[in-house]
Amino acid sequence: MASEIAAPGRSQSRHSSGSHGLMDQRQIMLVIYALMTAMFLSSLDQTVVGTAIRTIGDDLHGLNEQAWVTTAYLITSTITTPLYGKLSDIYGRRPLFIFSIGLFILGSLMSSFSTSMIMLAAFRAFQGLGAGGLMSLPLAIIGDIVAPRDRAKYQGYFLAVFGVSTVIGPLIGGIFANASSILGIAGWRWVFLINVPVGLLAFGMVFAFLHLPRFGNKRHNRVDWWGAATVVVTLVPLLLVAEEGRDWGWGSTGSIVCYIISFVGLIAFIIIEQHMHDDAILPLRLFVSKSFSMASILGALLGFGMFGAMLTIPLYLQIAEGLSPTQSGFATIPMVIGLMISSVTAGIIISRTGRYQWFPPVGTAIAIAGFALLIWAVGRPLQAMMIGMFVLGLGIGFLMQALIQASQNAVLSKDMGVATSSATFFRQIGGTMGTAVLLSVLFSVMPANILNAMSDRTALGNGLNAALTPSVARASENKAVMRQIWNPIVAQIKKQSQESLDTATTKVDAAAAAAVQTKVSAAVRQQAAAMGVTDSTVVQSMIKSQVAAATPAAQSQALKEVASQRNLSVVDGKLSIDYAQASQRKAVVKEVVPKLSDAMKKNSGKSSSLNSSSSTSDTSFLNGADSRLTQPFINGFDASARTVYWIGGGVLTFALLLTSFFKVPPLRERSALEDLAADQAAAEKLKAAEA
């Protein structure tokens, strides 16, 4: 075996697409087809489930528990990724890959029988045990059978699979979610059942075609079970906080306990891995290589920006652009196209030149430009957002290709599995943190941003004018948005306005009654004097009788005059506002908007009726509603999305600075299997010579 961590290219062997007699081109392509089928199974599942999760939650009466379904799958798939890598280095790729497919199929089948969201979360956790192998082992197998300079070309096949699943996944998920029943089974259950035939096809192809030669020593390898256990102890609490911290509170007692457990688990993991040496699940000697360490860090940063963007962009498309889940899935195709173009281009360049040093900085810079375009595109037509997604995909494709190559070429051939799975592992960890942090930021700043957007006098005036219009407020499509946003505001305005008018009515009535009293008193006294009536009791009785008769008409007339002067109505003897009358409604809006806008600006950082547990937790009320009523919410969401993209771009800017210190290892000229075969042949020759 080579004694260095970074394996240099071997000048005595020219590069080729095959494995120098170990596997011919036909065998390689059959293996790749089998891997493509397995990867299609994994990527299709993610896009289909993501599209249908809302329908599933509604049907199982647990939409508020859907985070556990996502978290359970994420936790088990993440923690098993390095396990599959290390165990496949010991026991071989084929049995571990077949085992992972079997687990995934079984988990999918069990998920289809779920009767509650908690049960579904448990079955998805089981399914994630298989997903960890589907995510990491295909790239390791490619590293085994194809030389690095030619390996990049085959990435196009896998990206084509990813692209196809991204395109048809939302469509299939939408069809299943919208179907009440298919063959007597609830439509959403087919989201999981579809994995069974696809999985069986993948299982059959892998079983038939994936036969890799085994080389290397036959020494007994210890399985690092304690290391695996400490990985679980370290990651599970951390991932729980990452997913649930926004609801728990990042500084809550539960979160702090999770931090402490993760820290203790990390210390224990490091101690155990040092003790296990080469048998460690994640050998610490790999990090002696600066190239491997830097590739791992950059992979985590890439995952942070990439997964965070991929999760928030569909939200933006559905909320701000009003697209359905299926439509938003199709709208993200430009990102997939950009990723495919850059990855294939990078593969061709690497194959022809054998150089890839410039890919990390260039890919990162392009991805940063993509985030800049996303920031610019917010609030603009959909085409602008598609341009940003395309550019972001271009950058990610260049960067991913280089990081995978660097991770695989920075280690010994015998560590190909653990190196590849580690690259996937760190990218997943970064993606998990990115998703948690960026979603937390999105929903944390959204209430204040919505209130800020509502304080804009133009938007507030237009929205209030619509909300105060009876025909608009009563429309069925506007009832939800009225209930979530406008009813508290409208009710307060109407209450305060009517209270003010009631006070004015009382004053007008009192003034009219006083005027009648004065006028009638003078007239009666004059009439009594002329008639010679001197009895004051009789006079007062006459005054009281005539005042009582004249007052209602006088008050009514007075109210009509005031209403005419102030553009009001009189209803049931009271000054009132007829909100169906545009002139009266606009007068109210003109009067209250300045005061309401100033109050909202002062309270924009405080708790309000627009909190994250109400109007920001369910945005279905936006669907089909009057745009004047939804515009403040959408403007606030736009501002929140910009914040998320600024953070994503900032993280990748830090990654760009790190690329200046990243020196990629040279490419090997042979595949991992060829290196192992050559090392074994040399060892046998030396042994024969000594004998």
Side-chain angles (χ1 to χ4, degrees), residues 384-443:
M385 182 61 65
M386 287 181 166
I387 293 173
M389 288 188 284
F390 176 77
V391 175
L392 180 61
L394 280 177
I396 291 174
F398 281 128
L399 189 54
M400 284 184 64
Q401 183 76 272
L403 294 181
I404 293 173
Q405 290 281 7
S407 297
Q408 291 182 336
N409 284 278
V411 301
L412 297 169
S413 298
K414 68 184 181 69
D415 293 320
M416 182 65 69
V418 70
T420 306
S421 64
S422 296
T424 305
F425 173 72
F426 286 114
R427 190 169 65 247
Q428 284 180 282
I429 291 295
T432 302
M433 297 305 168
T435 299
V437 170
L438 294 183
L439 280 182
S440 177
V441 169
L442 179 70
F443 288 106

Side-chain angles (χ1 to χ4, degrees), residues 121-133:
F123 291 152
R124 285 286 284 174
F126 184 88
Q127 188 180 12
L129 295 175

Side-chain angles (χ1 to χ4, degrees), residues 229-391:
T230 51
V231 167
V232 175
V233 173
T234 302
L235 292 182
V236 169
L238 202 59
L239 293 176
L240 280 175
V241 174
E243 288 294 315
E244 306 296 334
R246 181 169 57 88
D247 296 325
W248 294 354
W250 300 107
S252 66
T253 302
S255 296
I256 292 174
V257 170
C258 286
Y259 299 146
I260 294 173
I261 294 174
S262 291
F263 179 75
V264 172
L266 178 62
I267 298 300
F269 174 75
I270 293 174
I271 294 174
I272 291 171
E273 298 308 273
Q274 287 178 330
H275 176 72
M276 293 296 292
H277 301 294
D278 282 354
D279 292 323
I281 190 174
L282 185 59
L284 298 183
R285 60 180 172 76
L286 298 182
F287 295 95
V288 173
S289 167
K290 293 181 179 179
S291 297
F292 182 84
S293 299
M294 188 62 73
S296 300
I297 295 173
L298 290 175
L301 295 176
L302 171 64
F304 187 101
M306 180 178 72
F307 287 104
M310 290 178 69
L311 196 63
T312 54
I313 286 175
L315 281 178
Y316 174 84
L317 295 175
Q318 293 177 41
I319 293 175
E321 298 292 344
L323 303 183
S324 69
T326 303
Q327 291 170 331
S328 68
F330 283 119
T332 58
I333 290 177
M335 179 184 288
V336 178
I337 293 175
L339 193 150
M340 292 176 65
I341 290 175
S342 58
S343 293
V344 172
T345 301
I348 294 173
I349 293 174
I350 293 174
S351 178
R352 291 181 178 178
T353 67
R355 299 178 181 178
Y356 64 111
Q357 176 69 50
W358 60 274
F359 284 119
V362 170
T364 308
I366 294 175
I368 293 171
F371 273 111
L373 287 171
L374 291 179
I375 294 171
W376 165 80
V378 170
R380 298 178 184 273
L382 178 60
Q383 292 81 356
M385 182 61 65
M386 287 181 166
I387 293 173
M389 288 188 284
F390 176 77
V391 175

Side-chain angles (χ1 to χ4, degrees), residues 23 134 190 283 298 301 591 650:
M23 297 181 70
L134 297 182
W190 286 94
L298 290 175
L301 295 176
E591 180 182 353

Side-chain angles (χ1 to χ4, degrees), residues 19 154 157 189 290 307 429 548 578 585 674:
S19 291
Y154 293 95
Y157 293 104
R189 297 185 185 275
K290 293 181 179 179
F307 287 104
I429 291 295
D578 183 0
R585 185 176 64 250
E674 290 176 309

